[in-house]
Amino acid sequence: MRRGSSPASIADYGLIADGRSCALISRGGSIDWLCWPRLDSEACFAALLGSHDNGRWLIAPTGKARTERAYEDDTVILVTTHEVEGGTARVFDFMAMLNGTPAIIRRVEGLRGRVEMECDLVIRADYGRTVPWVERVGEDEWHAIAGPDLFILRTDVELHGDDLHTVGTFEVAAGEIRDFVLTHGHSFGPAPDRVDAEEALAATRSYWDAFTDRIRLPSAMRPEWRAAVRRSLLTLKALTYIPSGGIAAAATTSLPESLGGGRNWDYRFCWLRDSAFTLQAFLETGLTREAQAWRDWLIRAVAGSPEQLQVMYGLAGERVLTEWVVDWLPGFAGSRPVRVGNAAANQFQLDVYGEVADVLALATRRGLPPHERQEAYRQIIMEFLATAWTEPDEGIWEIRSERRHFVYSKVMAWVGFDHAAKAAEAAGDEAERARLRGIAESIRDDVCERGFNARLGSFTQYYGSETVDSSLLMLPLVGFLPPDDPRMTGTVAAIERELLQGGFLLRYQTDGHDGLDGHEGTFLLCSFWLVEVYALQGRMEEAVGLFERLVAVANDLGLLAEEVDAETGEMLGNFPQAFSHVGLVMAAVALSRRRHNGTPPLHW
C-alpha cells in the first residue's frame, strides 16, 4: 500500500462539490482535502497540508499507469481514466447533489482487460489530528467515530485495517463496476441513510446540466473562450453554500502565496467585496437565480449597525471568525503556519461600504426585485460613509500594519456616492441628489489632489506613497476617470513598469510596509483587470493576448488558484480561487462586448 508525501503542485488537484462542501482530488486519485459537513468545518482529510497520515482517501491502480482526467461535460463530476499494461479502468468521483445525506461517491468501472486497484482510506478528524474508532458493521459497512462525527463507508470491496488505515486491493474487469460511498453524520444520532450510487450519479448529472443550461454568454464571445467561462461559472457555483447563498473565496486554507513562506490564509469565508464582482459575473451570464441568492445573503449578513460591518462573514453569515494556528500540520510544501479563521474580519476596510451600497443598486438596475430592507440599508450605509470616507483603513489587500489612506478605498467610497446620487436623481429628489453629488465630488477632488503623484505621472497606492498598486486599474473600470485620461494612461504605464513579472501583475511591491514578511506570486485577478483596461484603451491585441495567456495558466481541468509564480509557472495561494474565476468571466465578457459594440461594460 502506497504511503508518503502529498503532491508538490497545487495544479495537481481537481474539485468536486455538493453545495455544502468541497473536496480536492489529486491527479493520482487521492482525496487530500475534505471538510465535513460544511466547507468551513474541520477537515477530516488534511493531507493537502501535511502527510497522508493527516487524512486522505486513495483509489488508484496498484502499479504504474498512464492517467488522464477530465470533468464529465459541463458538470463537477470528475472522471479519471487509468491505463495499465493489462487493461483500462476509470473512476467517477463526485459529491451527491440534492441529497439529504452528505456523500462522496467513487465509482470504479472496468473498460478493458483487468486492472488491479487499491483503496487506502485514512480518516483523521480535527484537521488531521484525531484518529477515529473504526469498526466493521455487517457485510459492507465500515464505521468511523471521532467525537461528534460519524463516517460510514459502504462498499462490497473487501477491506481490512492496517496501521490505522482501512485498506484493500481489488480487480475490476471490463464491464464491472465497484462502488464506494462515504457518508457523514452525527455519532450521537441515527446513522446516515444509505445512498444509492446509481441514483446519486443521475441526480448529480441532472443538477449540473440544469445549471449550465441557464448560462447565457454574449453572442460575440469567441468559441474557444466559452468552455473556460462555463468552467469558471461552474467553479463559482461549486464554491456556493446553497442553504444560504453565500460564496466562499476558495475551497482551502493556508495554501501558500510563496512556497515555504508564511503568507498563508484561510479563504473559506464570504467577503463582501467579492459579492460585487461575483454578482455582476452572474448577472452578465444569465444566472439571476444565483445573483439573487447572493444578494439576499448579503442583506442578511450585513444587517445591524454600519459601524459593525465586517469585510467577511461565515458561509451562513457568522461574524466570529477567530484566527488560530494548526500547529500540528506542517503546511503545503512545508509552508507554515497553517491558519484557521481570519483576523482580517475585524479590520476596517473603507471600500466595502461603497461596494455594498453599489452592489444593491446594481442588482436593482439589472432587474432583480428589490429586497424589502434594501433601500433602508443603503441609506444607513451612505450616512455612515459620509464621514467615514475621510478615515484611513487597512485597504483591499488587508495589510497588517498601520492604517493608511488607500486610493482604491477612497475611490470605492466615491462609487457609492456616485450611484446613490444617480438613484436620487432617478427618484426626482433634487436636494438629496445635490447632497450626495457634493460628497462624491469632494472625494474625487481629494483623491486627485492627494493620491496623484505628479513626479511619477501616476496615482499611487496610498496618499504620499511613491509606489503603485494594481487596484488602481479599477479607476477607469468604475468610471472614476476616463481610460484615456493622461493620469490613467500614466498610472497604467507605472503599473506595467513596476508590477509586471513574467507578463502578469503583482498586487503591489511586498517591501514590508504591509506588516508581513516574504513575498508572493503574481495575482491573477489583477492581471484580468489589466485585460479590461487594455480593452477600454483600445489596446485590443494586447488585451486578447494577455487574456489567452491567463486562461492557459489554468490546470488541465480549467481551475485557477489565487496566484502564479512568474518564474516557474506554479500555482500559488488558495485553490480554486473565486476571485480568479470571476476575473476570467468578466474579462471574457468585456472583450466580447468590445468586439460587438466597441465598449466593454463597467463593473458597476
Side-chain angles (χ1 to χ4, degrees):
M1 192 62 59
R2 285 180 288 176
R3 306 285 167 89
S5 61
S6 297
S9 172
I10 293 170
D12 278 341
Y13 287 96
L15 176 79
I16 57 175
D18 65 356
R20 290 167 293 190
S21 189
C22 300
L24 295 187
I25 306 175
S26 74
R27 191 184 305 275
S30 180
I31 300 180
D32 286 346
W33 183 253
L34 171 66
C35 301
W36 253 357
R38 289 185 8 169
L39 186 150
D40 57 352
S41 298
E42 294 85 356
C44 55
F45 297 154
L48 179 71
L49 301 177
S51 73
H52 293 164
D53 285 328
N54 293 120
R56 66 95 175 252
W57 186 11
L58 172 74
I59 294 181
T62 56
K64 185 176 181 181
R66 187 172 69 86
T67 297
E68 296 181 352
R69 62 181 183 172
Y71 284 113
E72 184 180 80
D73 301 323
D74 284 332
T75 72
V76 189
I77 300 169
L78 184 60
V79 183
T80 304
T81 303
H82 303 285
E83 184 176 354
V84 300
E85 185 175 346
T88 304
R90 63 184 174 189
V91 181
F92 292 82
D93 286 310
F94 63 97
M95 298 178 79
M97 295 298 304
L98 304 178
N99 195 74
T101 299
I104 291 181
I105 293 93
R106 311 195 73 181
R107 164 167 284 194
V108 184
E109 179 181 359
L111 298 179
R112 177 184 65 84
R114 303 186 71 86
V115 180
E116 185 180 63
M117 305 285 290
E118 62 177 315
C119 172
D120 180 17
L121 176 63
V122 188
I123 297 173
R124 297 291 184 267
D126 304 319
Y127 292 104
R129 180 171 64 173
T130 301
V131 179
W133 181 269
V134 180
E135 59 184 353
R136 185 168 183 166
V137 178
E139 291 296 316
D140 66 347
E141 291 189 15
W142 290 82
H143 290 206
I145 294 176
D149 295 303
L150 169 63
F151 306 89
I152 296 181
L153 174 65
R154 294 183 172 102
T155 181
D156 62 359
V157 171
E158 185 64 30
L159 303 174
H160 64 276
D162 178 16
D163 192 23
L164 303 180
H165 293 225
T166 302
V167 302
T169 58
F170 61 99
E171 282 194 344
V172 60
E176 292 183 343
I177 291 176
R178 312 299 290 272
D179 287 328
F180 297 77
V181 180
L182 183 67
T183 56
H184 177 269
H186 296 300
S187 61
F188 50 83
D193 293 335
R194 282 183 174 267
V195 175
D196 182 271
E198 186 67 35
E199 292 179 2
L201 180 58
T204 301
R205 282 172 172 154
S206 178
Y207 179 89
W208 292 115
D209 286 345
F211 171 77
T212 52
D213 282 347
R214 292 189 289 108
I215 295 174
R216 297 291 181 267
L217 302 182
S219 59
M221 184 174 290
R222 291 184 178 182
E224 62 269 28
W225 297 349
R226 290 174 176 266
V229 172
R230 286 196 303 272
R231 178 53 53 191
S232 289
L233 292 167
L234 280 158
T235 303
L236 292 173
K237 183 66 172 179
L239 292 173
T240 301
Y241 183 64
I242 290 176
S244 71
I247 303 174
T252 58
T253 180
S254 300
L255 290 181
E257 295 177 13
S258 62
L259 293 181
R263 293 174 180 251
N264 315 320
W265 314 107
D266 194 347
Y267 276 13
R268 297 172 299 155
F269 307 117
C270 305
W271 270 254
L272 298 189
R273 180 180 300 111
D274 299 34
S275 70
F277 299 100
T278 307
L279 187 82
Q280 187 174 14
F282 284 155
L283 291 172
E284 291 281 7
T285 54
L287 297 172
T288 54
R289 187 182 307 170
E290 284 70 22
Q292 183 164 342
W294 192 206
R295 190 277 312 274
D296 292 347
W297 175 92
L298 178 66
I299 291 288
R300 293 191 303 271
V302 303
S305 170
E307 290 89 347
Q308 295 180 317
L309 187 78
Q310 296 186 182
V311 302
M312 74 183 82
Y313 296 84
L315 296 175
E318 298 89 349
R319 290 172 173 263
V320 179
L321 308 177
T322 304
E323 184 178 300
W324 57 284
V325 172
V326 185
D327 57 11
W328 57 86
L329 286 176
F332 185 89
S335 305
R336 293 179 183 267
V338 171
R339 293 183 174 94
V340 167
N342 200 311
N346 301 316
Q347 289 187 353
F348 173 56
Q349 296 176 20
L350 176 65
D351 63 292
V352 299
Y353 291 88
E355 286 158 350
V356 167
D358 187 69
V359 76
L360 298 179
L362 169 66
T364 300
R365 291 199 306 272
R366 295 301 180 88
L368 292 187
H371 192 282
E372 60 183 6
R373 294 196 302 273
Q374 181 170 315
E375 181 59 24
Y377 196 77
R378 185 189 65 81
Q379 292 177 5
I380 293 171
I381 285 287
M382 299 315 298
E383 195 60 36
F384 174 77
L385 195 56
T387 55
W389 77 265
T390 63
E391 300 296 322
D393 73 327
E394 276 94 357
I396 181 176
W397 307 130
E398 301 176 349
I399 64 166
R400 298 203 173 191
S401 60
E402 73 273 14
R403 294 177 177 179
R404 294 183 171 90
H405 291 279
F406 287 100
V407 170
Y408 175 81
S409 298
K410 308 297 186 189
V411 169
M412 293 314 302
W414 172 87
V415 167
F417 285 104
D418 177 63
H419 287 290
K422 292 175 182 175
E425 182 177 15
D429 191 339
E430 176 58 27
E432 181 66 358
R433 183 209 66 81
R435 185 183 75 87
L436 294 168
R437 179 58 60 197
I439 298 173
E441 291 307 312
S442 294
I443 298 173
R444 186 202 295 272
D445 292 345
D446 192 66
V447 169
C448 291
E449 179 182 349
R450 303 173 64 194
F452 185 79
N453 186 312
R455 185 182 65 80
L456 298 176
S458 169
F459 286 98
T460 57
Q461 184 180 41
Y462 54 88
Y463 290 178
S465 82
E466 295 286 322
T467 60
V468 293
D469 185 307
S470 287
S471 65
L472 299 170
L473 292 169
M474 288 299 296
L475 271 61
L477 297 180
V478 300
F480 184 79
L481 284 176
D484 58 355
D485 185 291
R487 291 167 294 184
M488 278 315 310
T489 56
T491 299
V492 173
I495 288 172
E496 291 172 320
R497 185 171 59 250
E498 293 187 23
L499 300 181
L500 271 177
Q501 280 194 358
F504 301 141
L505 284 179
L506 298 168
R507 294 187 295 177
Y508 56 91
Q509 291 291 351
T510 52
D511 55 7
H513 75 269
D514 58 3
L516 300 166
D517 295 327
H519 299 283
E520 61 185 35
T522 56
F523 203 78
L524 295 178
L525 175 65
C526 297
S527 301
F528 282 117
W529 285 345
L530 185 57
V531 170
E532 293 194 63
V533 172
Y534 280 162
L536 274 174
Q537 294 181 336
R539 300 165 64 176
M540 286 299 292
E541 184 175 348
E542 293 168 278
V544 170
L546 177 55
F547 177 77
E548 293 184 340
R549 291 197 304 275
L550 284 163
V551 170
V553 166
N555 72 1
D556 56 316
L557 298 174
L559 302 178
L560 292 167
E562 179 183 30
E563 302 175 2
V564 64
D565 186 305
E567 294 183 0
T568 66
E570 285 290 320
M571 289 190 184
L572 296 170
N574 284 303
F575 175 86
Q577 177 79 7
F579 246 174
S580 299
H581 286 283
V582 168
L584 187 153
V585 172
M586 293 308 301
V589 169
L591 292 175
S592 301
R593 294 286 173 82
R594 180 78 182 189
R595 293 179 69 211
H596 178 67
N597 61 19
T599 305
L602 300 179
H603 276 269
W604 281 270

